[in-house]
Amino acid sequence: MSDRLDTLLHERRTFPPSAAFRRAATVRSKAVYQQASRQRLRFWAAQARELEWDRKWTKVLDWKPPHAKWFVGGKLNASANCLDRHVRTARRNKVALLWEGEPGDRRALTYWELYREVNRFANVLKGLGVRKGDRVAIYLPMIPEAVIAMLACARIGAPHSVVFGGFSAESLRDRINDAEAKVLVTADVGHRRGQLVPLKNNADQAVAECPCIAHVVVVHRERGTTDAGLAHMKAGRDHWYHELMDGADAYCKPAVMDAEDMLFILYTSGTTGKPKGIVHTTGGYMTQALATTRLVFDLKEEDVFWCTADVGWVTGHTYLTYGPLAAGATCVMYEGAPDWPDKDRLWAMVERYGVTIFYTAPTAIRAFMKWGTEYPKRRDLSTLRLLGTVGEPINPEAWIWYHKYIGASRCPIVDTWWQTETGGIMITPLPGVTTTKPGSATVPFPGIEATLLDGSGEEIATGGGFLAITSPWPGMLRTIYGDDARYRQTYWSRWDDIYFPGDGAKRDAQGYFWILGRVDDVLNIAGHRLGTMEVESALVSHPSVAEAAVVGKPHELKGQALAAFVILRSGHQRTGDLEDELREHVVKKIGAIARPDDIIVTAELPKTRSGKIMRRLLKDIAAGRALGDVTTLADPTVVAALKTKYEDEG
Ligand code: WT7
């Protein structure tokens, strides 16, 4: 955290919206902030009215801390909001999804076409016995069927649980079992950096230990080619997506859902080894998704909106699927790696589709920077008018690079802070109003109340503290699936009736927020959240490992990388390829995002006299910093020896 503060001090330029941008912007005046803060519920009710409701709510908010109900008594369907209301207008013929596969295959689906696919797949799910309230797991590559499956679930009121395609079979299994999903939707393969990702094989391994799964629907990603043999289909359980779709009716009436009915579960890492199933409901989530899409991205009818996030993360839920489709936008979706076949792939797509709004993560921007300006310079990026970032703090150097080389010093940048738990954007500029400062997510969105508190709940006007959200907001998580006690404990136990996001932040004299990073044992690896405990549990499940301590260390591209310190079981020798074996073991247990950068085999770990591992010192070692206070250590020589060892091996 202190490293970040140092670099922030070097960049002092500020960026007001240009007169031209402001003039055309949806929000042009700061008055929206005063209005929303004076009448917060009225502001959100006005945003909710941008959706189509089957029945209007009777009460905007029912707040019994820590449980909120928004738009009480209101009825609506998320899929109908993303599709039906558009196909009744000229948007029927507008492209909803502009999709590209990594090998270069392309599909464009109009709102009408997407509507038909979703209706048919909703009927397919019904035909497999999925009823309102049943959970459906989705483990797909970035293909249109991922969006179709999500919206089909929403249509029949079956909460979906999307599991990122990069997660391992074991991660998938645990998430399916926790949600007790009845059906799994997957694909034979996906494409990543020229390789085939064997999703169905992973799914088979997972489902073998998922008694709740009755059916597996398999999208034939390689349809028309000869790779069908890649997926072994188990009779009675497994079904090809295209075969089921062939027989499905083209219309499925959307289920009338209560505003507080569950829309989806999305698993995210916490401070224990077990991921949390974050529960989002329908009315409030959709309200915040639509409002933030319209106002933060200044979305206009003619925009081409590209959020590069995978559907496996919340960003892919809110800003690839529900927000922009509820707004009737044209969205770009891409299956593969940004450097395939070359490092200008994304810019080639910006040019090809005339993308106007581009939303990505700082880790990606740092990679673009490293690759060099020749790649964006090869392509015509003049259609871009607004850029966004999300997922981790952006270093001012990356911000300036993004502004200059992608945005041609013309496009405002919205640095948006939010979380899986918040459902939608919380702290962000409004591009026609806010003067931005590189590295700051600026101020809370209208209708959001955030502040900085110290450990005892005292407000900090300027300086550093814990970020806190002081009043409920529509898109907030409602609970942790099956574990309300953990919900209370994790988010609501630090202060009374105030939400604790787990981030440290600084507030400057102008009231701008500067998010510094997590203050708990959660890491942010390339914009993806990972719990140190999860990786430690994965490591100790290896037969050679007795004890493991995992910490984050600064990483030039990924923001943070993993350093793992392991103690071997007695009798286990350190063989030449043990480190690699342990890395692969973690990948198999969790997925490639959890692959540790450094593995240090050690005889001892620095511990306090009461036996607690001093992670603070391990972080110092991994970051190559001078060691902090070692006076409470049981044996101070351990840490000095470890530091030397790390420096030698690193
Ligand atoms: C954590 C949430 C929200 C979608 C992607 C990540 C960090 C997120 C920013 C930002 C600084 C950020 C926080 C937060 N984070 N956006 N603009 N500036 N940090 O979702 O996996 O739920 O992670 O990402 O630490 O708590 P997530």
Side-chain angles (χ1 to χ4, degrees):
M1 269 174 44
S2 54
D3 288 351
R4 182 163 149 73
L5 263 182
D6 292 343
T7 55
L8 289 174
L9 296 174
H10 299 312
E11 180 56 62
R12 293 186 171 278
R13 277 174 283 177
T14 60
F15 296 80
S18 69
F21 193 96
R22 183 189 293 257
R23 218 177 303 118
T26 308
V27 184
R28 268 162 274 179
S29 151
K30 285 200 167 87
V32 63
Y33 289 105
Q34 282 88 54
Q35 281 159 16
S37 84
R38 238 180 283 124
Q39 293 188 301
R40 194 168 55 91
L41 299 186
R42 178 180 285 207
F43 170 81
W44 285 117
Q47 299 308 318
R49 280 194 293 275
E50 299 284 328
L51 293 166
E52 186 178 271
W53 295 79
D54 297 310
R55 192 200 296 159
K56 221 197 130 188
W57 58 90
T58 52
K59 195 176 174 197
V60 176
L61 172 66
D62 178 8
W63 178 221
K64 294 195 179 67
H67 294 109
K69 290 188 176 125
W70 281 85
F71 309 112
V72 180
K75 308 278 178 193
L76 77 167
N77 182 285
S79 136
N81 269 284
C82 292
L83 300 166
D84 303 44
R85 64 178 179 145
H86 305 315
V87 301
R88 292 193 295 263
T89 72
R91 282 189 188 144
R92 169 193 180 93
N93 306 315
K94 179 177 179 176
V95 175
L97 279 186
L98 283 165
W99 174 81
E100 243 180 68
E102 194 186 72
D105 39 344
R106 291 183 208 169
R107 281 171 76 186
L109 281 98
T110 63
Y111 271 94
W112 174 253
E113 289 170 319
L114 184 61
Y115 166 79
R116 289 208 12 126
E117 297 293 304
V118 168
N119 272 276
R120 289 164 71 209
F121 195 58
N123 283 325
V124 165
L125 290 173
K126 275 187 169 174
L128 295 175
V130 180
R131 300 284 167 262
K132 189 169 166 172
D134 290 343
R135 277 79 57 212
V136 173
I138 299 176
Y139 184 63
L140 284 171
M142 283 284 283
I143 55 178
E145 285 77 8
V147 172
I148 292 167
M150 289 164 78
L151 293 175
C153 287
R155 198 163 187 88
I156 63 174
H160 52 71
S161 164
V162 182
V163 179
F164 173 54
F167 276 128
S168 68
E170 291 187 28
S171 295
L172 175 62
R173 175 198 64 196
D174 294 347
R175 286 160 174 75
I176 290 175
N177 285 334
D178 188 77
E180 294 175 284
K182 224 172 166 173
V183 167
L184 170 65
V185 186
T186 186
D188 50 358
V189 293
H191 292 265
R192 187 78 192 177
R193 215 163 258 126
Q195 304 282 315
L196 292 180
V197 184
L199 289 172
K200 177 61 164 63
N201 292 349
N202 292 349
D204 284 343
Q205 282 176 43
V207 171
E209 293 170 37
C210 298
C212 49
I213 291 286
H215 296 282
V216 178
V217 181
V218 187
V219 178
H220 192 0
R221 167 72 184 91
E222 288 301 303
R223 207 170 171 188
T225 68
T226 55
D227 287 322
L230 277 169
H232 167 75
M233 302 293 279
K234 184 171 169 184
R237 187 196 69 183
D238 298 353
H239 317 270
W240 286 111
Y241 175 93
H242 58 278
E243 289 177 2
L244 295 177
M245 288 289 271
D246 275 348
D249 277 350
Y251 182 72
C252 171
K253 198 173 172 310
V256 176
M257 304 300 287
D258 190 88
E260 282 300 327
D261 278 338
M262 202 191 305
L263 178 60
F264 64 84
I265 304 171
L266 184 59
Y267 286 84
T268 189
S269 296
T271 52
T272 72
K274 191 176 183 286
K276 304 174 281 196
I278 303 301
V279 171
H280 283 290
T281 57
T282 310
Y285 171 82
M286 288 299 291
T287 296
Q288 194 167 340
L290 179 57
T292 51
T293 303
R294 288 177 54 245
L295 306 181
V296 174
F297 297 107
D298 189 48
L299 195 73
K300 304 281 167 41
E301 195 63 52
E302 60 277 17
D303 275 312
V304 177
F305 183 82
W306 189 3
C307 163
T308 65
D310 193 283
V311 287
W313 312 110
V314 72
T315 313
H317 284 58
T318 309
Y319 300 107
L320 170 62
T321 307
Y322 291 108
L325 295 178
T330 295
C331 303
V332 175
M333 183 177 190
Y334 170 53
E335 178 187 34
D339 53 353
W340 193 266
D342 201 355
K343 296 185 176 70
D344 66 346
R345 179 62 181 266
L346 302 189
W347 318 128
M349 289 180 62
V350 167
E351 178 180 285
R352 190 147 47 244
Y353 302 111
V355 172
T356 58
I357 304 169
F358 184 77
Y359 188 37
T360 197
T363 187
I365 298 166
R366 288 191 295 266
F368 305 149
M369 258 176 99
K370 189 179 160 212
W371 296 339
T373 53
E374 63 169 290
Y375 297 100
K377 280 182 178 158
R378 276 187 199 169
R379 303 290 175 171
D380 178 4
L381 306 182
S382 62
T383 51
L384 289 172
R385 65 179 197 89
L386 178 66
L387 303 174
T389 84
V390 61
E392 47 177 325
I394 182 163
N395 46 314
E397 299 83 345
W399 196 103
I400 295 286
W401 189 93
Y402 194 33
H403 187 255
K404 190 164 169 193
Y405 294 105
I406 307 303
S409 305
R410 174 192 72 240
C411 305
I413 296 179
V414 288
D415 174 354
T416 62
W417 176 87
W418 58 295
Q419 309 179 292
T420 305
E421 290 88 342
T422 69
I425 292 169
M426 301 289 281
I427 301 182
T428 177
L430 289 178
V433 170
T434 314
T435 293
T436 54
K437 304 182 187 181
S440 171
T442 74
V443 295
F445 185 77
I448 299 295
E449 297 183 326
T451 191
L452 288 191
L453 299 178
D454 67 15
S456 56
E458 287 300 316
E459 190 148 4
I460 296 162
T462 59
F466 298 117
L467 184 61
I469 313 295
T470 53
S471 59
W473 66 99
M476 66 190 270
L477 78 164
R478 298 306 194 255
T479 188
I480 291 174
Y481 191 76
D483 198 350
D484 199 57
R486 191 174 178 193
Y487 167 72
R488 290 171 179 274
Q489 172 61 32
T490 309
Y491 306 108
W492 304 96
S493 64
R494 185 168 289 245
W495 310 295
D496 286 340
D497 305 343
I498 291 176
Y499 175 81
F500 173 57
D503 279 329
K506 181 177 84 95
R507 183 155 52 183
D508 69 19
Q510 283 176 297
Y512 278 44
F513 287 82
W514 302 73
I515 312 297
L516 300 172
R518 304 288 310 190
V519 294
D520 51 11
D521 285 328
V522 169
L523 304 178
N524 191 323
I525 311 288
H528 300 314
R529 201 200 292 195
L530 199 63
T532 53
M533 276 274 281
E534 279 175 272
V535 185
E536 288 166 4
S537 323
L539 283 165
V540 296
S541 73
H542 188 280
S544 304
V545 177
E547 204 174 349
V550 169
V551 296
K553 63 165 200 172
H555 187 277
E556 201 195 340
L557 290 182
K558 297 192 278 190
Q560 279 190 304
L562 286 174
F565 296 84
V566 298
I567 299 180
L568 298 185
R569 280 175 192 274
S570 57
H572 286 261
Q573 288 302 311
R574 186 190 149 186
T575 54
D577 52 6
L578 180 69
E579 281 89 349
D580 277 339
E581 191 182 317
L582 293 179
R583 282 193 185 92
E584 288 321 306
H585 182 75
V586 173
V587 171
K588 182 169 167 285
K589 288 273 160 189
I590 302 174
I593 54 166
R595 186 194 309 270
D597 277 49
D598 302 337
I599 293 197
I600 302 298
V601 177
T602 172
E604 281 175 279
L605 286 167
K607 289 188 181 163
T608 59
R609 284 173 210 113
S610 60
K612 218 172 153 280
I613 297 174
M614 298 273 286
R615 295 168 173 286
R616 178 172 59 74
L617 294 177
L618 295 177
K619 282 184 207 166
D620 287 342
I621 293 174
R625 281 192 294 258
L627 293 177
D629 184 12
V630 293
T631 51
T632 54
L633 280 178
D635 178 0
T637 59
V638 169
V639 65
L642 197 52
K643 187 168 164 61
T644 315
K645 184 168 167 39
Y646 191 92
E647 282 159 2
D648 290 349
E649 289 177 16

